Amino acid sequence: MYQIDLPHPPTTPLPLNAGPGRPIRGRPARHADLAECRGLLPGWLVLDAELRAKLPLLWTRLLGQPGFSVDVIEDLSRPPGQRLVGLGMTVALDALWQDRMRENPPPHAGAVWYRDFMDGRTAPLDDKALGRANTSGRVGMLVLHYAQQAIDPADPQVQQVLMTAMQLFRGAHGGLQLRDVWQEALAEGGDYLLGMGFRRRTDRGPGQPDLFGLGRDEAQRMFPGSPVRDVFQFVQPVMGLTAAERRALRLAVGELTDEEIAEEIGVSLHTLKKVWRSVCQRAADALPDMFAAAGNEPAEGTRGPEKRRYLLQYLRQHPEELRPWA
């Protein structure tokens, strides 16, 4: 699961309201979120001044790439521009970085990866490369960082944020034929990651983040139920979605509206409606029972919205359809 950490620089977070039903939502990040995201970096992650200043530009280049996932948790009761209470980023590593993480992992790996990306030495796997790695079972994922504003686990509102973070972790890593997943933690954060199913990989001593990870062979020997183990569960996709369709659907699964999706991927609403028609046709061809099974055939006049509902419900249960496959 994403690690709990205070943001950097230290801030005084807005208090969580008391009472049930607080409107907490997890979703994919949009370009409009990136300026606010900079206030939700973990305090222990060492970033030099140049790298820290360029992070919004790097995120702009990375957002939307299939090998890079950014999720935010927002409190909808707060004013716009102050709603983000959690941020997590994860990346699909190239082969050299995967070897590095297994053999000689650097401290503050997220910061080192950002520096390599900024200097042109690495990049997230693109659609074709991720498809090849997925088909061959050689996907390695690194959680670059996660932080949330409030961290007291005894607070029921913090529990609500943590449950949302768990769902986002599954969405960021699920549906891939994973070989390894890695994440760093400092101090008691390591105990938390161990409880989520990670295994300790380093013991660097006080003041240094340790690396935690889990590999496919280890996951296969564990019972289902822990968030980290369960993202290794994999079946092949059957719908054959295109890269553009997968990108739009990942935003739709994240509960963005058509207007928000169209703005984020830079298309018109008319073009997006054509994407929806194409996707529904692919789904009907590959999985005809999705729409035609008894009780599932929507009434005339509600066919489009109902088809979307059944489709999105299926995709939440089958994230492999949203991943490239060679």
Side-chain angles (χ1 to χ4, degrees):
M1 182 178 175
Y2 287 142
Q3 174 193 346
I4 308 173
D5 269 299
L6 289 173
H8 184 87
T11 63
T12 301
L14 293 172
L16 292 171
N17 292 342
R22 186 164 184 79
I24 299 296
R25 179 176 75 157
R27 60 170 174 80
R30 302 165 57 197
H31 282 86
D33 300 313
L34 295 182
E36 192 178 350
C37 285
R38 190 159 50 172
L40 278 166
L41 289 167
W44 57 263
L45 185 64
V46 175
L47 296 161
D48 62 60
E50 179 191 19
L51 183 55
R52 185 177 296 276
K54 290 186 176 180
L55 274 182
L57 176 61
L58 300 182
W59 291 337
T60 299
R61 291 168 53 193
L62 290 164
L63 195 59
Q65 295 193 32
F68 187 76
S69 180
V70 188
D71 293 301
V72 296
I73 302 172
E74 59 182 348
D75 180 347
L76 297 175
S77 68
R78 295 184 177 185
Q82 303 178 49
R83 289 179 172 173
L84 298 191
V85 296
L87 168 71
M89 299 192 179
T90 192
V91 63
L93 300 175
D94 63 23
L96 290 177
W97 253 94
Q98 289 189 50
D99 290 342
R100 187 176 189 181
M101 294 302 296
R102 281 190 288 268
E103 297 167 7
N104 188 26
H108 305 280
V112 178
W113 188 91
Y114 277 134
R115 170 58 69 176
D116 278 6
F117 174 69
M118 186 173 72
D119 294 342
R121 291 188 291 267
T122 193
L125 299 184
D126 61 22
D127 200 77
K128 290 184 178 180
L130 185 56
R132 290 192 296 267
N134 198 17
T135 304
S136 61
R138 295 179 178 273
V139 180
M141 302 288 287
L142 171 65
V143 177
L144 294 170
H145 48 83
Y146 172 82
Q148 64 185 60
Q149 285 189 345
I151 62 173
D152 179 6
D155 186 329
Q157 305 300 342
V158 171
Q159 290 289 335
Q160 190 177 354
V161 173
L162 290 175
M163 292 298 294
T164 303
M166 185 181 300
Q167 295 168 359
L168 294 175
F169 179 90
R170 290 189 171 109
H173 299 86
L176 291 163
Q177 194 169 190
L178 293 166
R179 184 177 179 182
D180 293 282
V181 177
W182 293 280
Q183 182 168 347
E184 284 186 312
L186 185 68
E188 65 274 6
D191 296 333
Y192 186 77
L193 292 185
L194 290 172
M196 292 300 103
F198 278 106
R199 306 288 177 85
R200 185 181 294 273
R201 299 300 195 222
T202 65
D203 188 7
R204 293 175 176 143
Q208 287 291 323
D210 276 318
L211 180 68
F212 296 78
L214 193 70
R216 183 168 59 238
D217 292 343
E218 295 168 311
Q220 289 173 343
R221 295 192 294 270
M222 299 167 63
F223 288 110
S226 68
V228 183
R229 183 268 174 211
D230 288 353
V231 297
F232 284 85
Q233 200 72 28
F234 177 78
V235 295
Q236 286 187 213
V238 298
M239 290 174 58
L241 298 170
T242 68
E245 290 167 345
R246 291 194 305 271
R247 185 181 181 194
L249 286 172
R250 288 189 69 183
L251 296 173
V253 167
E255 300 185 1
L256 271 65
T257 66
D258 276 7
E259 290 76 11
E260 291 170 333
I261 295 169
E263 179 184 3
E264 189 63 24
I265 65 178
V267 300
S268 67
L269 283 172
H270 176 72
T271 298
L272 184 59
K273 289 179 181 178
K274 292 171 64 177
V275 171
W276 276 114
R277 287 195 294 269
S278 174
V279 168
C280 286
Q281 186 59 56
R282 288 180 186 272
D285 292 342
L287 300 160
D289 288 346
M290 182 186 297
F291 304 128
N296 278 11
E297 184 64 22
E300 292 297 332
T302 63
R303 188 176 303 274
E306 284 295 282
K307 280 189 174 183
R308 287 194 192 187
R309 185 168 68 86
Y310 289 122
L311 175 63
L312 293 177
Q313 179 181 347
Y314 174 84
L315 292 174
R316 291 185 182 101
Q317 297 170 348
H318 294 270
E320 70 276 0
E321 301 292 354
L322 302 177
R323 304 297 191 176
W325 183 258

